[in-house]
Amino acid sequence: QVQLAESGGGFVQAGGSLRLSCGASGSISNIGAMGWHRQAPGKQREFVAFVTSSAATTYADSVKGRFTHSRDGAKNTVYLQMNSLKREDTAVYYCAAQTMTNTYWGQGTQVTVSS
């Protein structure tokens, strides 16, 4: 089992920045990729970014150039630096960790961007 704990969400004006963190505990040696998804009100959960165990990172087109995803293997933590935030980035952001057999999710952290 893997447990994930997110932090860093909040309220910010458009154009501002936030940094989300996600710490993993439990069977962390089994974790391959870690990443973020988000879900806005009335919409389906969508992919934001992920980073593999070899630090290869992939981003959704909607956040490229604005968000930076990084991984600290020593701390079993991933970070999502979000810059130039837009109203459409408002959502609950969920951390995810993938093993060979399962995908684990955090509880989510709310990000609200006002105009």
Side-chain angles (χ1 to χ4, degrees):
Q1 293 286 328
V2 172
Q3 294 79 45
L4 301 172
E6 304 112 330
S7 62
F11 183 92
V12 65
Q13 289 191 329
S17 299
L18 283 174
R19 189 174 87 150
L20 305 183
S21 300
C22 174
S25 60
S27 302
I28 57 174
S29 61
N30 296 328
I31 296 175
M34 291 185 71
W36 297 87
H37 285 63
R38 67 186 181 186
Q39 188 167 16
K43 295 187 177 181
Q44 290 190 337
R45 192 173 295 191
E46 65 176 7
F47 163 76
V48 176
F50 77 80
V51 58
T52 69
S53 55
S54 58
T57 307
T58 302
Y59 297 96
D61 287 343
S62 59
V63 306
K64 279 181 183 177
R66 300 188 299 120
F67 290 12
T68 302
H69 192 209
S70 60
R71 184 169 183 171
D72 185 335
K75 295 181 180 180
N76 306 309
T77 301
V78 291
Y79 305 95
L80 187 67
Q81 177 66 43
M82 306 185 294
N83 298 328
S84 302
L85 282 161
K86 305 175 181 179
R87 283 193 64 185
E88 50 263 43
D89 295 318
T90 295
V92 177
Y93 284 71
Y94 296 91
C95 179
Q98 196 166 39
T99 66
M100 290 290 289
T101 56
N102 287 296
T103 299
Y104 296 91
W105 296 91
Q107 292 295 311
T109 185
Q110 176 70 46
V111 171
T112 303
V113 184
S114 69
S115 59

